[in-house]
Amino acid sequence: MSELRLMWRNTRMVVLCAISAALYAAVLVPFKVVPLIPGVTELRPANSIPVVCSFLFGPAAAWGSAIGNMIGDFFGGVSPGDIFGFFANLAYGWIPYKVWELIARGESPVLRSPLVIVKYVIACLAASVLCADLVGWADNVLVIRPFAMLGNVIIFNNMVSALALSPFILAAVYPRVKKGRMLYTDVMPEVKLKPVPIRATGFALLIAGEGGAWILGNLLSTGYWEPKFLPAWMIVAPYDKPVLIIVGPFLLLAFAGLFMM
């Protein structure tokens, strides 16, 4: 997590953060008028931007994703869930490069082989699921929307953009950014990676936490599973209390794993 703090001491990283946020917001805002599910979410090709910027700019993209989404939210109606949306999008821009550092170890994210494609999908899916888990959990707990509705739509939205748009953008810009020595590894050479066993353990906790949160969030918010160890008065629609009590610890586990990476 140290790079998220240290980047604010680096002028170039701050500029890259501003660029990431501006790009995300600039593509996000115009599509606010193209809803996929009215009142829930809109078409979001902008979700390709945090993925691209994450591979390019690392921690600057994480903050840029969070700030850009916050700007976009101002144009779509503000709600208490937007606070969690900030941190969910921080994770969405943070996870791809952290996972890539572990499973690819300096390899280019430009998709040129089946193995690179598999690694790329793993990195994007890990980011999309935690983003969806946090927003879906928060909206269900705040009795705004059920987890099963919002959480699954966010994963679909994120992955469509990450698979259909991001690879082409990366193929066009990654070699040029690398040649210009503007990748985050060039701009922040002082940041050292943690030992592989610690990062691998963190990755395992991240997957276990976000996977458990997604499965249980869907089961609980639809009423498909009614945990008998909770009082009967808690197990009523919209199932906000079971989602709070049971899904919450899995989210904490996922973020603990992310911090270890």
Side-chain angles (χ1 to χ4, degrees):
M1 187 182 179
S2 61
E3 72 268 23
L4 290 181
R5 173 176 49 84
L6 292 175
M7 64 143 282
W8 294 107
R9 302 177 184 177
N10 188 309
T11 303
R12 287 192 294 174
M13 289 296 286
V14 174
V15 172
L16 293 175
C17 172
I19 292 172
S20 301
L23 286 172
Y24 193 22
V27 183
L28 190 62
V29 172
F31 285 90
K32 287 287 182 181
V33 296
V34 189
L36 282 180
I37 301 177
V40 178
T41 189
E42 65 279 347
L43 185 67
R44 290 175 68 110
N47 288 5
S48 61
I49 302 298
V51 173
V52 172
C53 290
S54 184
F55 287 117
L56 299 176
F57 308 138
W63 286 113
S65 175
I67 296 168
N69 184 76
M70 182 175 63
I71 295 171
D73 285 340
F74 288 140
F75 289 86
V78 179
S79 74
D82 293 339
I83 298 173
F84 296 91
F86 178 91
F87 292 102
N89 277 271
L90 178 73
Y92 184 54
W94 187 10
I95 292 174
Y97 82 89
K98 296 300 292 184
V99 173
W100 195 257
E101 284 175 342
L102 176 64
I103 65 177
R105 303 186 184 185
E107 192 174 8
S108 168
V110 177
L111 307 186
R112 292 176 177 167
S113 72
L115 183 57
V116 172
I117 292 173
V118 170
K119 293 176 182 178
Y120 175 84
V121 171
I122 290 172
C124 293
L125 187 59
S128 298
V129 172
L130 186 55
C131 175
D133 284 347
L134 183 54
V135 176
W137 174 83
D139 272 29
N140 204 147
V141 169
L142 295 171
V143 195
I144 299 174
R145 304 175 190 91
F147 181 103
M149 176 187 291
L150 192 58
N152 294 319
V153 168
I154 289 174
I155 293 176
F156 173 80
N157 236 343
N158 287 353
M159 289 305 295
V160 166
S161 296
L163 297 179
L165 298 176
S166 298
F168 298 101
I169 302 173
L170 276 171
V173 303
Y174 184 87
R176 291 169 174 80
V177 174
K178 183 176 181 179
K179 186 176 181 180
R181 298 190 58 80
M182 287 301 292
L183 295 175
Y184 68 94
T185 49
D186 299 316
V187 179
M188 288 187 68
E190 71 274 14
V191 175
K192 304 300 180 184
L193 296 178
K194 296 177 182 176
V196 171
I198 294 178
R199 289 187 288 136
T201 301
F203 181 55
L205 294 178
L206 169 65
I207 298 303
E210 68 179 17
W214 180 77
I215 293 170
L216 293 173
N218 276 284
L219 292 175
L220 290 166
S221 65
T222 57
Y224 191 83
W225 176 45
E226 297 182 351
K228 303 302 181 184
F229 56 85
L230 293 179
W233 61 270
M234 285 188 176
I235 312 174
V236 293
Y239 306 107
D240 51 311
K241 295 176 180 61
V243 169
L244 170 66
I245 294 170
I246 297 175
V247 177
F250 282 89
L251 286 173
L252 292 176
L253 178 65
F255 274 98
L258 182 55
F259 292 151
M260 290 176 65
M261 294 179 66

